Amino acid sequence: MRRSLAGVALAVTSMVALSFLIPLAALVMSLVKEQGVTAAEQRAAALAPVLTLTTDPDALRESAASLDAADHLVVHLPGSGALGRSKAPTALLERAQRGRESISQEIPDGWICLQPVVLPGDEVAVIENFVPEAELTRGVKESWAVMLFLAVGLIAGSVLVADRLGAKVVRSSKKLAQASHALGQGDLDTRVDPMGPRELRDAGIAFNTMAHRMNELLAVERELVADLSHRLRTPLTALHLASERMAGTPESARVEAAVGELETELQAIIAAARTPLAVGPMGQGMLGADGPALRPADTAATAAAGPGCEAAEVVRRRTAFWTVLAGQQNRSCSLDLTQEQTAVGLCEDDVAAVVDALIGNVFRHTAAGTPFGVRVVRTAQAVELVVEDGGPGIPEPDRALSRGSSTGSTGLGLDIAQRAARATGGTMRITRGPLGGARITVTFALALPAPSGHRSRISRRRKR
């Protein structure tokens, strides 16, 4: 923007300077020429009274020399020729003598002035004054140089002033853009100092108001989620009482365990809702699938410096929870876990949310009795979580990754998994697995550099 403003100032000032400089230069040249011609005519007119008094050549030469030291003043006496070196064309001399008219005309080498003087006896003498070309342009170049210097100084000054003004505008615009980018990346405390022109100051004030309002709305939303989750504790208490009345029955232990898990999840939701936004790796992905993705360097740093957990252990615990429900629906569940280290840059709650979302989708979108499998694989740079089922599969994987696009589904489960993968620099893929249904592979980058040397992959398989 600064370059554009400077260019505009340069163009406008140059046009204005040229519009004045060209006519002024022509006027200076015309004035200098006019002054030279006028001086020549005045010298010729000053010598005319001498001719009326005497025609003595010596007296005329002395008078001409006193009027013009350059010997450009010549007297043409009738019948005796010219007193000096004449530059006048013969035709002009004859015209002045016969017509008795004053002639002032430009000739190839300069300017000629012819002044006829009537002598006693009705004879005509002609006074000639020649002005060389150099005298007609004397001082013109110097005047042009001074005007050009002033014009260049004026242009340079205007460009400098425009650049300084543009710098203030650009500085204000850059700060506003940086604050907007920081706000878009999740820094909700960012503000700008309104500065620059009035329009940019108004934009800065509006930005601060918007950011403050966003904080208020997000705080209200988090409190609303926490309150709604807290209200679910009442039916949970009723379920606890019901499970106590069922004590001694085969179902009481499973019901009590399920109620305990649900209460733990509600407590985690309440805590997460009351936590400031974007405080962890998953918070950095809050912008969703269409938001700005983290750079590889950022994701690597997040994975290395995140809270961290053993992904395989979290998957084992959450799969064990879902196995109870799978037994009730006659679903076979296979679990295949690597025994290598599977440290990822996500906390246990985030990994558990991914597992619950993917397995929950299996129960929600496939019929009872449909088998499914969970597998954790360790690669050189990542940990892969694979969840597959024997259902109808996902006909449009790309559309399914767009949150809320599936009919009858919010798309939140896949969105949670995708955001978790991106938070560590990983990916998520949807394909068709060996069981015939959907196969979802979520890749998490390792939190720590993989140890060197040979790794043996020892897997254990549990069938339920």
Side-chain angles (χ1 to χ4, degrees):
M1 182 181 291
R2 290 177 60 182
R3 187 174 299 175
S4 300
L5 292 175
V8 171
L10 175 62
V12 173
T13 312
S14 299
M15 292 176 62
V16 173
L18 287 176
S19 65
F20 283 96
L21 190 62
I22 293 176
L24 189 59
L27 179 62
V28 168
M29 187 171 184
S30 176
L31 288 175
V32 171
K33 185 175 182 180
E34 184 178 352
Q35 288 176 357
V37 172
T38 302
E41 292 175 347
Q42 290 175 351
R43 286 193 296 269
L47 187 60
V50 179
L51 278 172
T52 60
L53 297 176
T54 181
T55 58
D56 180 53
D58 292 334
L60 291 176
R61 287 192 183 93
E62 184 178 354
S63 299
S66 64
L67 292 174
D68 185 6
D71 296 333
H72 291 150
L73 195 61
V74 179
V75 179
H76 296 270
L77 294 174
S80 61
L83 301 179
R85 290 182 299 177
S86 175
K87 298 286 186 179
T90 304
L92 289 180
L93 281 173
E94 292 179 355
R95 176 182 165 188
Q97 287 176 345
R98 293 177 182 179
R100 299 183 181 184
E101 61 175 321
S102 298
I103 298 176
S104 181
Q105 183 176 324
E106 186 176 7
I107 61 175
D109 294 331
W111 194 276
I112 194 73
C113 295
L114 299 177
Q115 179 68 43
V117 178
V118 180
L119 301 177
D122 200 25
E123 293 181 328
V124 178
V126 178
I127 301 173
E128 172 192 339
N129 196 356
F130 173 71
V131 183
E133 185 70 27
E135 292 188 10
L136 294 177
T137 58
R138 181 179 298 172
V140 172
K141 292 183 179 180
E142 291 78 0
S143 300
W144 285 0
V146 171
M147 289 188 293
L148 182 61
F149 177 77
L150 293 176
V152 171
L154 177 63
I155 293 173
S158 65
V159 171
L160 180 62
V161 172
D163 181 71
R164 291 298 88 200
L165 294 176
K168 295 179 63 177
V169 175
V170 169
R171 193 181 306 115
S172 303
S173 302
K174 282 185 176 180
K175 288 186 176 181
L176 186 59
Q178 291 171 356
S180 300
H181 185 69
L183 183 65
Q185 293 294 331
D187 184 6
L188 300 182
D189 294 329
T190 185
R191 297 293 185 273
V192 296
D193 183 16
M195 59 182 298
R198 182 171 58 85
E199 291 78 6
L200 285 178
R201 290 200 301 271
D202 293 343
I205 294 172
F207 175 86
N208 291 339
T209 303
M210 178 192 68
H212 181 69
R213 183 59 177 164
M214 284 180 60
N215 276 336
E216 290 181 346
L217 292 177
L218 288 173
V220 171
E221 183 179 0
R222 289 197 297 268
E223 286 299 323
L224 179 61
V225 172
D227 292 343
L228 291 176
S229 302
H230 192 273
R231 289 169 61 183
L232 293 177
R233 286 184 169 180
T234 300
L236 275 179
T237 303
L239 287 177
H240 271 300
L241 296 176
S243 65
E244 290 177 0
R245 289 196 296 269
M246 294 170 59
T249 63
E251 298 292 330
S252 71
R254 286 191 294 180
V255 171
E256 185 65 26
V259 171
E261 290 284 349
L262 184 56
E263 188 171 12
T264 301
E265 292 296 328
L266 283 178
Q267 185 64 32
I269 291 174
I270 294 173
R274 287 177 173 170
T275 300
L277 190 63
V279 294
M282 287 287 281
Q284 295 171 359
M286 278 294 190
L287 297 176
D290 296 330
L294 292 176
R295 298 188 300 271
D298 296 336
T299 54
T302 298
C309 71
E310 281 291 327
E313 178 61 24
V314 177
V315 172
R316 183 190 65 77
R317 293 201 306 266
R318 298 313 302 162
T319 306
F321 169 78
W322 286 99
T323 302
V324 177
L325 183 57
Q328 294 177 353
Q329 295 187 0
N330 296 320
R331 297 176 183 266
S332 62
C333 172
S334 62
L335 179 63
D336 187 1
L337 300 176
T338 179
Q339 291 196 351
E340 294 185 80
Q341 290 186 352
T342 56
V344 296
L346 293 174
C347 64
E348 293 186 5
D349 290 342
D350 291 338
V351 177
V354 173
V355 178
D356 291 343
L358 297 181
I359 298 180
N361 280 345
V362 175
F363 281 83
R364 190 175 299 111
H365 300 292
T366 62
T370 302
F372 70 95
V374 180
R375 186 156 53 98
V376 175
V377 179
R378 164 71 181 273
T379 64
Q381 300 293 334
V383 175
E384 292 185 355
L385 168 63
V386 182
V387 178
E388 54 188 0
D389 60 68
I394 301 176
E396 300 180 51
D398 294 336
R399 186 166 178 265
L401 290 176
S402 179
R403 180 173 175 178
S405 63
S406 302
T407 304
S409 171
T410 63
L412 182 58
L414 295 180
D415 184 68
I416 290 174
Q418 190 174 38
R419 285 192 291 111
R422 286 185 175 182
T424 65
T427 58
M428 187 178 78
R429 304 188 307 275
I430 300 178
T431 56
R432 187 170 291 275
L435 296 179
R439 179 180 183 180
I440 301 176
T441 304
V442 182
T443 304
F444 304 106
L446 289 172
L448 297 173
S452 60
H454 176 71
R455 299 189 188 90
S456 61
R457 295 187 178 178
I458 304 175
S459 301
R460 59 179 180 178
R461 195 173 186 84
R462 293 164 50 187
K463 285 281 188 179
R464 289 179 173 80

